[in-house]
Amino acid sequence: DFSSEFGEVLHAFLETVNPHFLADLAFAFGRRNTPALFRSLYVARVDNRPFIPLPETNPLLSRLVTEAARLAVLFREHLRSKSLFTFDDLETEAEKMLLSEGTPYAFRYVLIDEFQDTSRLQWKILRYFCGPKFEKLFAVGDPKQSIYGFRHADIRLFTEVSDELVSYGRPRFFLSTNFRSTPALIHAFNRFGKAQFQETLGFQPME
């Protein structure tokens, strides 16, 4: 499984890291936490995407991210040697296949639920099946409920795709009637939502 495969690579990797740097990490974060740091940074995919904003004046954190990127390359090579893939790898390989071979299947319609939790890579894959002007696509989502940023979901993508669909003449519907909550809760949600999302998402109040 992932833990055993990653643990094997991590153990070998730590043997190659400058011991003075490891000592600095142990002092800053605790010796027992150092392996977990590298695991967390790998899971965050720092090889291709930023993990956290790093101040240029903090060489320890900058070096940590650099080393974690090297670890990610080693782990990927280790997986390939055993013909193993992570979920991220499967998405990447699927996009490569569609780019080189085209779409092998034809669907009459494509329904995407929870679209607010779609990553840009997932969208690149999905759009192969949606038609030139997305005439096959029906998408449902609520950007206020986006919770999968750790899996590279991008709520800006929701707005971008929605606007693009409208530009092709596709209808856009705002579902603003809440059948589940009491009026007092709806009023509280609207106050909170307007304060939190008005500028970024163009908040639509509920009824």
Side-chain angles (χ1 to χ4, degrees):
D1 59 12
F2 176 91
S3 295
S4 59
E5 297 292 342
F6 186 78
E8 178 182 339
V9 175
L10 178 60
H11 179 75
F13 167 77
L14 290 176
E15 295 293 326
T16 70
V17 177
N18 185 298
H20 297 294
F21 171 62
L22 289 178
D24 290 340
L25 284 180
F27 179 79
F29 300 102
R31 184 174 299 277
R32 292 184 178 181
N33 294 329
T34 298
L37 267 176
F38 280 104
R39 178 187 174 95
S40 297
L41 285 168
Y42 175 78
V43 171
R45 305 295 292 181
V46 295
D47 51 324
N48 293 319
R49 307 170 180 90
F51 173 58
I52 52 175
L54 295 176
E56 296 180 0
T57 55
N58 193 322
L60 182 64
L61 287 179
S62 297
R63 174 72 182 277
L64 176 61
V65 170
T66 299
E67 292 292 345
R70 186 166 69 89
L71 171 62
V73 172
L74 292 174
F75 185 54
R76 188 179 297 112
E77 292 173 351
H78 172 81
L79 292 178
R80 293 297 179 275
S81 70
K82 295 188 174 184
S83 298
L84 299 174
F85 297 86
T86 65
F87 285 115
D88 281 355
D89 293 333
L90 292 176
E91 291 177 352
T92 301
E93 293 302 316
E95 201 272 332
K96 288 180 181 178
M97 181 191 71
L98 290 169
L99 184 62
S100 62
E101 301 179 12
T103 307
Y105 305 106
F107 297 104
R108 291 183 62 190
Y109 304 106
V110 177
L111 169 61
I112 305 175
D113 196 9
E114 306 291 357
F115 189 70
Q116 75 277 356
D117 287 321
T118 303
S119 72
R120 291 189 178 273
L121 177 56
Q122 290 167 346
W123 174 238
K124 287 177 69 176
I125 295 170
L126 289 165
R127 65 185 299 156
Y128 279 97
F129 303 94
C130 295
K133 295 185 177 181
F134 311 127
E135 59 271 13
K136 299 179 180 182
L137 175 64
F138 181 87
V140 180
D142 181 356
K144 299 189 301 300
Q145 298 185 43
S146 183
I147 59 173
Y148 280 86
F150 67 96
R151 289 287 299 129
H152 323 308
D154 187 343
I155 58 173
R156 294 171 298 180
L157 179 67
F158 183 96
T159 303
E160 292 169 11
V161 174
S162 179
D163 290 343
E164 189 172 3
L165 286 169
V166 171
S167 74
Y168 290 131
R170 300 289 172 273
R172 174 167 53 192
F173 303 98
F174 294 99
L175 305 181
S176 58
T177 303
N178 185 321
F179 296 97
R180 289 178 165 181
S181 305
T182 64
L185 280 175
I186 293 173
H187 177 69
F189 294 154
N190 284 338
R191 289 185 60 189
F192 175 80
K194 184 177 181 179
Q196 295 295 319
F197 304 116
Q198 183 63 51
E199 294 184 3
T200 56
L201 301 176
F203 177 72
Q204 298 285 329
M206 295 179 292
E207 300 176 358

